[in-house]
Amino acid sequence: MDIIFSIDEVDLNEITGFELGNISINKNELQCTSLNRIPDQSMMIFITISQLLNQIRSMIEKKEKTIIINGVDSSYWIKIQYVNNLFIVSDDRCCIKKINPAELIETVYIAALKFWEKYGNHIESDSVHFDFKNALEEYEICMKRKFKLKR
């Protein structure tokens, strides 16, 4: 499984927490993605990733069965369901089934961390910056506690 968070055209000297970008979730040649859609489905990527991290963490802690992540400033959405001890990730065009919980949880974290390491230090220390860092830290704590993952 692979998750890629990307930013549309960017000048690292002028990056803000409101940059538009995309999400792609890939597994076994299936892809749930906001890319290449008409109309364009780019979203405020920093805020959307923060929501994704917070909603998955809430799903785990509260044992919720279904969450829907809506791209901020976009009509793109991703649904994550927990069925028979496995995750299903879907959008309006794709359905990726039989995802091991630890695989999804860790892959989301690694993708968000890589995105943060690449772009996070380039945005101002504002509420978007704080929310993203906080979501990442809280997600990591949950991941270690619930899945004993070592990141």
Side-chain angles (χ1 to χ4, degrees):
M1 172 173 227
D2 185 35
I3 299 176
I4 300 167
F5 301 119
S6 61
I7 290 183
D8 295 352
E9 300 177 33
V10 65
D11 176 352
L12 290 178
N13 295 322
E14 297 180 15
I15 195 168
T16 74
F18 304 105
E19 295 298 328
L20 296 178
N22 290 282
I23 296 175
S24 294
I25 302 173
N26 311 292
K27 183 170 180 165
N28 300 332
E29 299 185 31
L30 295 172
Q31 183 179 57
C32 295
T33 185
S34 59
L35 287 167
N36 304 319
R37 290 176 176 251
I38 299 173
D40 182 13
Q41 292 302 310
S42 294
M43 62 202 74
M44 291 183 188
I45 195 68
F46 283 97
I47 300 170
T48 301
I49 295 170
S50 296
Q51 286 183 348
L52 174 67
L53 293 168
N54 288 331
Q55 285 188 260
I56 291 175
R57 182 175 51 81
S58 177
M59 180 183 207
I60 293 164
E61 291 175 344
K62 296 177 181 175
K63 296 183 171 56
E64 297 171 1
K65 297 294 182 190
T66 302
I67 59 171
I68 296 175
I69 295 91
N70 293 299
V72 176
D73 199 28
S74 171
S75 58
Y76 182 75
W77 54 267
I78 296 171
K79 183 190 311 185
I80 300 176
Q81 298 171 280
Y82 189 66
V83 179
N84 298 325
N85 298 317
L86 295 170
F87 281 108
I88 299 169
V89 175
S90 60
D91 64 13
D92 63 324
R93 296 183 182 171
C94 171
C95 184
I96 303 172
K97 297 180 179 180
K98 298 181 181 176
I99 303 169
N100 177 290
E103 178 184 22
L104 177 69
I105 301 309
E106 190 167 26
T107 304
V108 167
Y109 176 75
I110 290 168
L113 183 61
K114 284 181 182 176
F115 185 84
W116 181 254
E117 288 171 347
K118 184 172 183 178
Y119 299 112
N121 291 329
H122 297 282
I123 64 173
E124 290 182 29
S125 186
D126 61 7
S127 60
V128 173
H129 186 271
F130 174 79
D131 289 347
F132 195 106
K133 278 184 69 175
N134 189 54
L136 198 57
E137 289 168 4
E138 292 295 320
Y139 189 92
E140 181 180 19
I141 291 166
C142 175
M143 184 177 75
K144 287 178 179 177
R145 186 176 57 241
K146 297 287 185 176
F147 291 93
K148 312 291 188 253
L149 298 175
K150 300 172 186 168
R151 280 271 157 219

